[in-house]
């Protein structure tokens, strides 16, 4: 099947963006990541107008939905390029854009360092030997699966890269530390930062719940973190 691949391109954050279109003639079982790799393998790479263009800048690492590096907007929805297959998308035109909530680096690459800085500010690390409860094993495991790809932040109406609200990714990762930490002073520090950087800023829209590309139980983890911090449960 022949697909038209529309890509929003931009040399840098200060430059103007523009659209380029390419043709991909391949299997419907191909992933978007496979499409991008195939396009960049062309020598030279030409757009649909016959112009020779520079390779498309995008990020990837594991290619098996484990790292979150290839997060982007695919047909206006945040997804992972490695696990989004053409047969799951409607029509024969595929639109690719960078995530809009983070500073652009180039083309489909954005700077997600703010996401990781917010986790540091929440003090999300252990100061004591982890306390393990068998009845919380499953939610702790789910918390640890978070790819920190930023898809949940892309759809969050309260998150912005320059703001103080840390978003669902912080609450999801906080549960594991809140559940395992035994040092009370550190727990109090995490709780205080959590209230300021997550709980007080969340509008409870839960737009983050259904967007997770690996299907984390986001709502459950948010509830558990909120309960631990606010109600001491």
């Amino acid at each position: 099947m022949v697909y038209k691949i529309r890509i929003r391109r931009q040399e840098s954050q200060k430059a103007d963006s523009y659209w380029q279109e390419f043709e991909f003639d391949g299997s419907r079982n191909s992933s978007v990541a496979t499409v991008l790799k195939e396009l960049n393998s062309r020598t030279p790479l030409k757009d649909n107008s016959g112009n020779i263009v520079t390779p498309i800048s995008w990020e990837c690492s594991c290619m098996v939905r484990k790292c979150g590096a290839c997060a982007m907007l695919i047909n206006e929805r945040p997804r992972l390029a490695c696990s989004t297959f053409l047969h799951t998308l409607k029509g024969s035109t595929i639109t690719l854009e960078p995530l809009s909530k983070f500073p652009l680096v180039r083309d489909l690459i954005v700077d997600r360092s703010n996401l990781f800085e917010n986790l540091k500010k929440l003090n999300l690390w252990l100061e004591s030997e982890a306390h393990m409860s068998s009845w919380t094993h499953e939610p702790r495991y789910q918390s640890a699966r978070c790819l920190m790809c930023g898809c949940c932040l892309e759809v969050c109406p309260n998150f912005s890269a320059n703001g103080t609200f840390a978003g669902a990714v912080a609450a999801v990762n906080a549960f594991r530390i809140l559940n395992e930490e035994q040092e009370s002073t550190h727990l109090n520090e995490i709780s205080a930062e959590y209230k300021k950087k997550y709980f007080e800023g969340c509008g409870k829209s839960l737009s983050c719940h259904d967007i997770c590309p690996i299907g984390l139980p986001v709502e459950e983890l948010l509830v558990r973190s909120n309960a631990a911090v606010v109600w001491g449960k």
Side-chain angles (χ1 to χ4, degrees):
M1 184 170 178
V2 179
Y3 290 88
K4 180 168 71 174
I5 313 298
R6 298 184 70 242
I7 303 177
R8 183 186 290 277
R9 305 199 62 180
Q10 194 168 345
E11 303 303 318
S12 68
Q13 193 169 4
K14 294 181 179 179
D16 293 332
S17 65
Y18 56 95
W19 290 96
Q20 279 183 346
E21 296 183 356
F22 304 88
E23 189 175 276
F24 174 78
D25 187 359
S27 170
R28 297 177 68 251
N29 293 321
S30 299
S31 68
V32 170
T34 299
V35 172
L36 288 167
K37 290 184 70 175
E38 196 279 332
L39 291 178
N40 279 345
S41 70
R42 298 177 184 176
T43 307
L45 174 59
K46 294 183 179 181
D47 64 15
N48 281 357
S49 298
N51 301 312
I52 297 177
V53 300
T54 57
I56 302 151
S57 296
W58 66 294
E59 286 188 303
C60 65
S61 181
C62 69
M63 297 294 285
V64 288
R65 204 171 60 170
K66 294 293 185 182
C67 71
C70 62
M72 62 184 68
L73 291 176
I74 301 174
N75 287 1
E76 301 183 336
R77 181 183 175 89
R79 315 173 198 244
L80 299 181
C82 67
S83 61
T84 301
F85 297 89
L86 301 184
H87 67 82
T88 66
L89 303 172
K90 293 183 179 179
S92 59
T93 298
I94 311 299
T95 302
L96 307 181
E97 302 172 78
L99 297 177
S100 65
K101 290 292 187 79
F102 300 95
L104 181 83
V105 176
R106 182 185 175 94
D107 291 345
L108 302 174
I109 302 176
V110 295
D111 180 2
R112 292 178 295 174
S113 58
N114 174 264
L115 183 161
F116 304 105
E117 289 302 318
N118 282 333
L119 295 181
K120 291 180 185 178
K121 291 174 183 177
L122 281 165
N123 301 315
L124 294 185
W125 58 80
L126 290 172
E127 293 283 357
S128 63
E129 185 175 344
H131 171 71
M132 301 292 187
S133 298
S134 58
W135 67 277
T136 60
H137 173 76
E138 178 60 21
R140 281 189 286 108
Y141 168 72
Q142 295 297 340
S143 171
R145 291 178 61 221
C146 176
L147 303 181
M148 292 180 277
C149 60
C151 287
C152 61
L153 303 181
E154 177 68 21
V155 298
C156 178
N158 303 102
F159 176 81
S160 67
N162 298 320
T164 58
F165 177 63
V169 67
V172 165
N173 283 276
F175 170 72
R176 188 171 68 262
I177 306 302
L178 290 166
N179 188 252
E180 295 176 357
E181 180 63 89
Q182 299 181 80
E183 209 285 309
S184 59
T185 300
H186 188 220
L187 268 177
N188 291 336
E189 292 173 351
I190 296 173
S191 296
E193 291 300 314
Y194 181 93
K195 289 177 181 178
K196 289 190 297 182
K197 292 183 171 57
Y198 177 75
F199 185 76
E200 294 173 1
C202 179
K204 311 300 187 293
S205 67
L206 289 179
S207 57
C208 53
H209 179 67
D210 293 326
I211 205 70
C212 179
I214 61 171
L216 289 181
V218 175
E219 182 178 7
E220 177 189 352
L221 292 170
L222 302 188
V223 170
R224 286 178 177 272
S225 291
N226 288 346
V229 169
V230 181
W231 299 288
K233 301 295 185 180

